[in-house]
Amino acid sequence: MKNVMRNVLQNMTRKAGERAELISALLALTVYLTGLTLHLTGNAGPASRALFVAAYVFGGFFTLREAIGTLRRGRFQVDFLMLVAAAGAAVIGRWEEGAVLLVLFSLGHALEEYAMGRARRSIEALGELAPRTALVRRTGGEPAEVPVEELAVGDTVLVRPHTRVPADGFVAAGSGSVDQSPITGESVPADKEPVPDPAAALADPAAVDPGGRVYAGTVNGSGTLDVVVTRLNRDNTLARVVRMVQDAEERTSPTQRFTDRFQKVFVPGVLALVAALLAYGALSGEPFTDSLYRAMAVLVAASPCALAIATPAAVLSAVGRAARGGVLVKGGAPLEEFGRLRTIAFDKTGTLTEGRPRLTEVETADGVAREDLLRTAIAAQRLSDHPLARAVVRDAPALLTGTAPATEAVDLRAVIGRGVSAEVDGETVHIGSLSYADTLTGAPVPTALRERTEALARTGRTTMVVRRGDRWLGTLGLMDAPRAEAAATMAALRALGVTRTVMLSGDDQRVADAVGRTLGMDEVRGGLMPQDKATEVTRLRRTARTAMIGDGVNDAPAMAGATVGVAMGAAGSAVALETADIALMSDDLRRLPFITGLSRRAARVIRQNLWLSLGIVAVLVPATALGMGIGPAVLVHEGSTLVVVANALRLLRYRDDA
C-alpha cells in the first residue's frame, strides 16, 4: 500500500508541475502581449517595461531553475544559452526582445513537457489496469474484499464476470474466456479451463498450460473463475512490465548517446562563437549594443533544443506503443538496433513450431500387430517425461481398438538424445532413433522397416524405432507442426525489409529442413546444441546485425550473443522478461512483424527529427549573423522543437496490421 500511495503522490506532483509550468508560460505570454500592445500604441514607458520584466519572471522561472540544476552537475544545456541571450537583451535595453525569447521558450518547453507527459501516461496507464482490491475466498464464509497488496501465494480469489483479474495465477474452478490484450496484445479472448492438478500447478506455476494461466490486469468474460494466486502483487507480470518499460526510458539509444556527446561540445562552442562575434564587433568599431544583439540572436539560433528532444521523444512514444501492443522493449538501444537489422535467426521448437509434438504415423514391421506396437510403446514411454514420450502417451491410446488391460513397464533407463529402454512383462523394450537402434546387439533393423523409417525422416518426422526382446515391432513418426501463423509471419518480415531468415534447431537436419521448406526459411541449421546456436549467431553477426528469437531460457546463450535478443511468450516466464532485449508477451508470432514495423518507423522518425533539428540550426545561425532578430529566430527555433515532438508522438498511433 505504501508503494501505491508513493506512486500516486509522485504522479500528482509531476502533473501539478506540468500544469504550473504551463500556467507560468501562459502568464508570461499574457503580460508580454499586454506590454507589447502598450509599446505599439505609443504608451511605451515604465508600465510596458514593468510588464516585460514580469514576462521575464514568469517565462524565466522554470528555465532558471532547470539551468541551475544542470550547471551544478557540470553541464551546459539549452536553458543556460537562452538565459544568457535574454540577459544580454536586457543589458542593451531590448527588454521586449528578451521577453519574447523567454515567453516563447517557456511556452515551447511547457508544451514539450505536456507532450512527453502524454507519452509517459500511455505507459503509466498500464499500471492502472490491475484492480486495487480482490475477493479472497475464506474458509466457511463469503469472499472477503482485501487490497491486492495483501494477497499471498496460494490464496484463492473469486473473479466475477466482466471484471479484471487481480493477480497472476491459474484457474482452479470455473471456465470462460479472458481478454489478455493488455498483457499479450492478443486480439481474441483466450479460453480458460481449470488445471487438472491444482497442487502440482501451485508447486510449479511455470509448467501450467496457457489454457489455465491468467494474468493480473486482464479482463474476465462472462464466466466466474476461482483463481489461485502464484505471484505477489509486486512481482506479477503487469508490475514487472510497467517497471521495465519505465526503466527503458533511462536506457539511451546510440543516436541519443551521439546527441548527448554532440551537445557537450556544441554548447561551449556556441558560447565561444558568441564571444568571437563580440570581439569582431569591438575590433570593427561596431556599436556594442548592435554587436551584443547580433551575438544574442546567434546564441538563440544555435541552441539545439530540437536536437536534444528528437530521440527521447521518439523512443518514449515507440516504447509506450509497443507495450500497449503486447511487446516489451527495454530502451532505445534495442529499439533502434532492431529497426536497422536485416537478419533474424529463429529457434525452431516452440518458436516457429507449436512445441507440442504429435504422433502422426505408426509403421509396423512385417507380421506385427499395430496393437502390440502401440501398447508396448505406451507402457515404456509412460515412465518418461520427455516431450516425445508424452506425445506418444497422449496420442497413442486413441489409436487402440482392443480392450486389453494396460501393460505396465518398470526400470526405465534413458540414453540422452538417443532413446530409452524399460522392462515390459519381463522383456527388454528399446525405443529410440535409428542410430540408437544400430548400437543394440542382436538382429539389426529389418531392411523394409529401415527404409520406411528413413522415408518418414525425409518428410520431417522425428522417428522412434521400437524393439521388444529380439523382435522389431515397428516405427512411430512424430512431428512438431509449424505454427499456423509462421509462414505468414515470414512473408510479412520480408515485406518489411528482412532479407535473411535462419532457423536454428537441435533436431536432425532432415527434420529441420522439412520445416524450413514449409515456412520458406532462407537457411536451416540442424543438430545444434545450445552452445552451437550461440556459435551460429556469432557467425551471422560477423556479416550483419542479427536478432535471435527464442524462448529466453534454453536459447539464452544465443540471444545474449545477438545484436538484439527477442523472447517469445515472456508473459509466463520471469527469466525471459529479464534476459531479453525485446519480449513478446504472448506466443503469437504476429507480434514480431508489429514490433519490426514499429521499430523501423521509429528509426525513420529519429532520422527525420535529427535532420530537421540540425537543418534549422544550419539555416538560423547564418541568418541571425546577417541580421535576423531574436523574435523571428526564437519563433522558428521553438516551432521546430514542437514539430519534432509532434512527429515523435505519431508513433503512439502506429497501426498494428496484425
Side-chain angles (χ1 to χ4, degrees):
M1 184 62 73
K2 290 181 180 179
N3 291 336
V4 173
M5 292 302 299
R6 185 170 61 248
N7 291 337
V8 169
L9 289 172
Q10 288 174 347
N11 290 338
M12 290 175 60
T13 301
R14 186 172 65 221
K15 290 175 183 177
E18 290 172 2
R19 286 195 296 268
E21 186 169 4
L22 183 59
I23 291 171
S24 181
L26 291 174
L27 286 173
L29 178 62
T30 301
V31 295
Y32 168 74
L33 290 176
T34 305
L36 183 64
T37 301
L38 292 175
H39 186 77
L40 294 177
T41 56
N43 295 313
S48 63
R49 177 168 297 183
L51 289 170
F52 289 143
V53 171
Y56 263 72
V57 174
F58 288 123
F61 176 76
F62 286 96
T63 303
L64 178 63
R65 191 174 67 174
E66 191 162 336
I68 291 173
T70 56
L71 284 173
R72 284 175 176 172
R73 295 192 295 271
R75 296 165 58 189
F76 288 99
Q77 287 192 336
V78 176
D79 313 80
F80 178 75
L81 298 183
M82 289 298 180
L83 288 171
V84 171
V91 167
I92 59 176
R94 305 289 287 268
W95 289 93
E96 69 279 5
E97 297 277 5
V100 74
L101 165 61
L102 289 178
V103 166
L104 292 178
F105 182 74
S106 63
L107 191 60
H109 194 270
L111 292 175
E112 287 169 31
E113 284 298 311
Y114 172 78
M116 293 294 284
R118 179 183 168 192
R120 290 189 184 96
R121 284 191 289 274
S122 72
I123 295 172
E124 292 168 357
L126 291 171
E128 303 300 320
L129 292 175
R132 299 299 183 195
T133 60
L135 293 173
V136 180
R137 288 195 181 276
R138 303 298 188 191
T139 304
E142 289 294 315
E145 186 172 6
V146 301
V148 291
E149 291 81 12
E150 295 180 12
L151 292 177
V153 173
D155 280 347
T156 299
V157 297
L158 172 66
V159 185
R160 288 176 172 152
H162 309 297
T163 61
R164 291 192 181 274
V165 178
D168 283 10
F170 60 82
V171 179
S175 61
S177 60
V178 175
D179 178 5
Q180 300 186 152
S181 58
I183 302 295
T184 66
E186 297 168 280
S187 57
V188 178
D191 293 333
K192 300 297 178 182
E193 297 287 342
V195 299
D197 186 347
L202 186 59
D204 186 10
V208 174
D209 185 83
R213 185 185 299 156
V214 294
Y215 306 107
T218 55
V219 182
N220 186 25
S222 57
T224 299
L225 305 177
D226 276 5
V227 173
V228 177
V229 178
T230 56
R231 287 186 181 135
L232 299 177
N233 181 65
R234 64 176 179 272
D235 298 324
N236 67 40
T237 301
L238 182 63
R240 294 203 309 273
V241 168
V242 172
R243 281 198 302 270
M244 289 179 180
V245 171
Q246 290 171 339
D247 291 344
E249 189 180 348
E250 306 300 323
R251 297 178 60 183
T252 57
S253 69
T255 302
Q256 181 60 38
R257 290 194 291 271
F258 161 75
T259 56
D260 288 344
R261 291 194 301 269
F262 177 78
Q263 287 185 81
K264 289 179 181 178
V265 176
F266 183 73
V267 172
V270 170
L271 294 175
L273 175 62
V274 168
L277 287 172
L278 290 173
Y280 172 78
L283 294 174
S284 64
E286 184 181 42
F288 175 73
T289 55
D290 292 346
S291 298
L292 183 60
Y293 182 79
R294 184 172 63 249
M296 295 303 99
V298 170
L299 189 63
V300 171
S303 300
C305 287
L307 182 65
I309 200 69
T311 303
V315 168
L316 186 61
S317 298
V319 168
R321 177 64 186 94
R324 295 205 323 266
V327 180
L328 172 62
V329 182
K330 295 186 180 177
L335 177 74
E336 202 169 324
E337 291 288 4
F338 202 73
R340 295 173 177 172
L341 55 82
R342 295 289 182 269
T343 301
I344 300 182
F346 295 84
D347 173 53
K348 181 184 80 68
T349 303
T351 302
L352 294 175
T353 65
E354 295 175 352
R356 192 170 183 261
R358 298 176 181 174
L359 179 61
T360 55
E361 279 84 21
V362 179
E363 296 283 347
T364 58
D366 293 340
V368 175
R370 180 185 175 95
E371 200 90 356
D372 290 343
L373 169 59
L374 290 173
R375 289 188 181 280
T376 301
I378 293 171
Q381 298 285 43
R382 188 176 284 121
L383 301 177
S384 173
D385 61 357
H386 192 280
L388 295 178
R390 290 200 297 267
V392 171
V393 174
R394 182 189 66 239
D395 298 341
L399 304 177
L400 296 173
T401 57
T403 58
T407 304
E408 297 294 333
V410 296
D411 194 20
L412 178 77
R413 296 178 298 278
V415 180
I416 303 300
R418 306 187 72 181
V420 298
S421 66
E423 297 296 320
V424 178
D425 295 336
E427 293 183 291
T428 301
V429 173
H430 294 278
I431 304 178
S433 62
L434 270 178
S435 60
Y436 172 67
D438 291 338
T439 65
L440 303 176
T441 58
V445 178
T447 302
L449 183 60
R450 178 182 292 274
E451 290 175 351
R452 280 182 284 168
T453 302
E454 291 175 342
L456 286 175
R458 286 194 294 272
T459 63
R461 271 57 174 177
T462 298
T463 57
M464 297 189 295
V465 187
V466 182
R467 190 176 91 171
R468 182 168 180 169
D470 292 329
R471 192 164 61 112
W472 294 98
L473 301 184
T475 298
L476 303 178
L478 297 95
M479 187 172 187
D480 185 11
R483 292 178 182 270
E485 71 274 15
T489 296
M490 297 304 111
L493 290 174
R494 289 190 185 87
L496 288 168
V498 175
T499 58
R500 188 182 186 188
T501 55
V502 183
M503 187 175 78
L504 307 179
S505 174
D507 285 340
D508 180 83
Q509 184 68 47
R510 292 175 296 182
V511 175
D513 284 338
V515 176
R517 283 193 300 271
T518 302
L519 302 180
M521 306 297 293
D522 296 312
E523 300 174 32
V524 177
R525 304 278 189 273
L528 301 177
M529 298 296 284
Q531 62 269 26
D532 300 324
K533 293 179 183 179
T535 301
E536 284 293 326
V537 169
T538 301
R539 182 183 64 81
L540 292 170
R541 278 197 67 183
R542 292 195 188 106
T543 57
R545 292 184 178 92
T546 301
M548 174 65 193
I549 320 295
D551 62 9
V553 183
N554 294 332
D555 303 308
M559 290 169 62
T563 309
V564 180
V566 182
M568 282 272 295
S573 170
V575 176
L577 274 176
E578 297 293 341
T579 59
D581 299 309
I582 296 175
L584 312 184
M585 302 305 290
S586 71
D587 277 324
D588 188 354
L589 266 177
R590 289 172 295 184
R591 297 294 86 204
L592 194 56
F594 162 68
I595 188 57
T596 302
L598 176 60
S599 61
R600 275 158 165 64
R601 176 74 60 82
R604 287 198 297 272
V605 167
I606 289 172
R607 287 195 297 271
Q608 291 165 1
N609 285 352
L610 288 178
W611 283 113
L612 175 64
S613 55
L614 291 172
I616 291 294
V617 170
V619 170
L620 279 183
V621 168
T624 49
L626 294 174
M628 177 185 280
I630 288 178
V634 75
L635 188 63
V636 174
H637 181 274
E638 291 305 310
S640 68
T641 302
L642 294 178
V643 169
V644 161
V645 174
N647 190 37
L649 288 179
R650 291 190 305 122
L651 293 169
L652 289 172
R653 300 192 304 272
Y654 178 78
R655 181 180 173 185
D656 182 4
D657 291 329

